[in-house]
Amino acid sequence: MLARSKRSWAARRLAQPTGGVISSGNYRRAGVDIDAGNRLVEAIRPLAAGTKRPGAAAGLGGFAAAFDLRAAGFTDPMLFATTDGVGTKLKIAIAAGQHDSIGIDLVAMCVNDLVVHGAEPLVFLDYFGTGRLDLAVGRAVVAGIAAGCRIAGCALIGGETAELPGLYTAGDYDLAGFAIGAAERDGVLPRGDVAPGDVVLGLASSGVHSNGFSLVRRIVDDGGFALAGPAPFAPQCTLAEALLTPTRIYVPACLTALRHGGVKALAHITGGGLIENPPRVLPPGTRAKLDLSDLPVPAVFGWLARAGGVPEPEMLRVFNCGVGMLAVVAEADAAAVMRNFADAGERVYRLGRIEAAVGAPSVQVDGLRL
C-alpha cells in the first residue's frame, strides 16, 4: 500500500491533541511528512483569504466549503462545473524550477471553460500531488492559483495536498483544478439563434497556453534546445520563460461583453485547437469559416512548426495558433461587441462567418501565417 497523506486544507484540523504532538517519525521515514503539510496549510491560508468574494463562506476549517448563490446576486441560477489540469507543461515548470505561474494556467483552463456557457466562476478548488512536499514549491504553486482566482473573480475555497512517495519521482508534482460557476437561466450559452450570417470574432491568445506540451517537449528535446537558453523566437527571455507564459484568463472580458449583450456563443480554443472546438457550440447544418490572414500569430507557433516539422493541419488541431477564445455574434452587433472586448483589455479580431452546411457542425480555417 502506498504511503499517503490526505490533507484537505479546507477541512484541516490544525489544533494539536492535548498532551503535546504525537510523533509521526515512522510515517516521515516512509516518505510522508504530516508537519510539512501543516506548514503548507498555514502558508497558503492568507493566499486563499485574498480571493474572497460575495457568497463565499469566510475562512477555512470545515470538511467542505459553502457558497451562498443569493448573496452573490443570483435569482434563478444554473450551476456549471469543470475540472482540468495543465498537462505536461508541468514538466517545463519542474525542469526550469519556475513554479509561480503554473497555478494561473490551472485556473485558466477551468474558468475559461465555464465562461463559454455564460457562467460566472464562483469557487475554485485544487489538487496538488507530489512525491515529497517542498514547502517553497507548494506555496509558489498555490500563490499562482490564488492569482488566477483573483483575475477570474472566484474564491479559492479549498484544496487537497497528497504526498505520495513511490508514485511520483523526486521533485515531480501534479495538479488538477475544479471550478464551479453559475449563470442565470436565461443567460446560458450557446443561444439557440446561432445562424448563417453571424460573425465570428477571435480573442488573441498569450501563446501556447496549456495544450500540446507533449509535442512541444519533444520538439525541444529532439532539437537540443536548452530551457535556460534564449528562446529562438523571443531572445529577450529564456525558452522556459517563453513557454511558461500563462494561459490567458478571458473571464473578465467575456462577462463584460455578456453584460452588454450581443454574444450568442463562445468557444474556448483548448485541446483540439481551432479544428475541434468551434463546432462544439454550433448547431447542425452550419460551419464556421475562418480566415486568419490578418491575425498576428505569436512567433512561438512558427518556431514550433519549423523546428518540429509540424504541418499546418496538425498545428491547427493541436494548438490555438494565436486565438484563445471565439465569439459568435450577429452582424449588427459585431462592432459593438468588438469594442466591449477591446475596452475590457482584449485584442479582438474579426475572423469569419457562420455559413450553412450539410450535416454535423464543422469549421474551415484558411490563411494561417506561421
Side-chain angles (χ1 to χ4, degrees):
M1 181 177 177
L2 290 172
R4 185 171 186 271
S5 177
K6 186 172 183 289
R7 289 188 294 275
S8 176
W9 53 271
R12 191 67 169 146
R13 290 175 292 176
L14 295 171
Q16 295 293 348
T18 303
V21 177
I22 296 175
S23 172
S24 57
N26 289 328
Y27 207 16
R28 187 180 297 112
R29 285 191 292 274
V32 179
D33 190 341
I34 296 175
D35 295 329
N38 284 333
R39 290 191 293 271
L40 178 59
V41 171
E42 289 306 301
I44 62 183
R45 185 180 293 274
L47 298 174
T51 67
K52 185 179 177 183
R53 55 152 295 153
L60 303 175
F63 285 95
F67 191 91
D68 186 343
L69 286 168
R70 186 177 300 171
F74 289 91
T75 56
D76 185 23
M78 295 278 290
L79 285 178
F80 293 83
T82 64
T83 182
D84 211 334
V86 295
T88 58
K89 188 173 186 176
L90 282 173
K91 298 292 287 185
I92 305 288
I94 292 167
Q98 298 178 23
H99 312 281
D100 55 343
S101 66
I102 202 73
I104 299 176
D105 289 289
L106 185 66
V107 175
M109 295 302 289
C110 294
V111 298
N112 286 343
D113 280 353
L114 283 180
V115 80
V116 300
H117 292 284
E120 176 185 349
L122 303 175
V123 297
F124 190 87
L125 300 97
D126 71 276
Y127 171 84
F128 180 96
T130 185
R132 185 175 182 85
L133 187 59
D134 183 310
L135 182 60
V137 171
R139 190 187 186 285
V141 170
V142 178
I145 294 172
C149 286
R150 288 192 296 273
I151 296 170
C154 59
L156 177 58
I157 61 170
E160 175 82 3
T161 302
E163 198 168 21
L164 305 171
L167 183 59
Y168 297 99
T169 59
D172 275 352
Y173 61 87
D174 195 14
L175 296 174
F178 312 88
I180 297 175
E184 296 292 0
R185 194 174 302 270
D186 60 1
V188 172
L189 297 182
R191 283 168 30 183
D193 59 346
V194 174
D198 286 342
V199 173
V200 182
L201 307 177
L203 305 185
S205 72
S206 56
V208 182
H209 286 183
S210 297
N211 297 108
F213 269 86
S214 292
L215 178 55
V216 171
R217 289 170 47 246
R218 183 189 65 75
I219 293 170
V220 170
D221 291 344
D222 289 355
F225 297 100
L227 290 175
F233 52 90
Q236 71 276 11
C237 61
T238 68
L239 180 56
E241 289 169 342
L243 294 177
L244 290 172
T245 300
T247 304
R248 187 158 183 84
I249 295 176
Y250 297 101
V251 169
C254 287
L255 290 179
T256 296
L258 290 172
R259 282 192 291 269
H260 282 89
V263 177
K264 294 186 175 187
L266 294 167
H268 182 202
I269 308 305
T270 177
L274 280 165
I275 300 301
E276 296 186 1
N277 287 291
R280 296 165 70 179
V281 300
L282 301 179
T286 63
R287 71 169 178 173
K289 186 173 183 180
L290 308 181
D291 183 353
L292 306 185
S293 57
D294 292 331
L295 179 75
V297 180
V300 60
F301 295 109
W303 174 73
L304 288 168
R306 292 187 297 271
V310 185
E312 182 177 305
E314 187 173 9
M315 290 293 297
L316 288 167
R317 193 175 186 186
V318 174
F319 300 113
N320 66 65
C321 293
V323 184
M325 184 74 73
L326 292 180
V328 179
V329 303
E331 171 68 55
D333 297 322
V337 174
M338 290 185 73
R339 285 195 301 271
N340 292 332
F341 277 124
D343 290 346
E346 297 298 333
R347 290 175 294 147
V348 56
Y349 302 91
R350 184 167 173 148
L351 298 182
R353 287 186 177 275
I354 305 300
E355 296 183 338
V358 177
S362 60
V363 63
Q364 177 183 328
V365 182
D366 299 311
L368 178 63
R369 296 181 294 109
L370 296 173

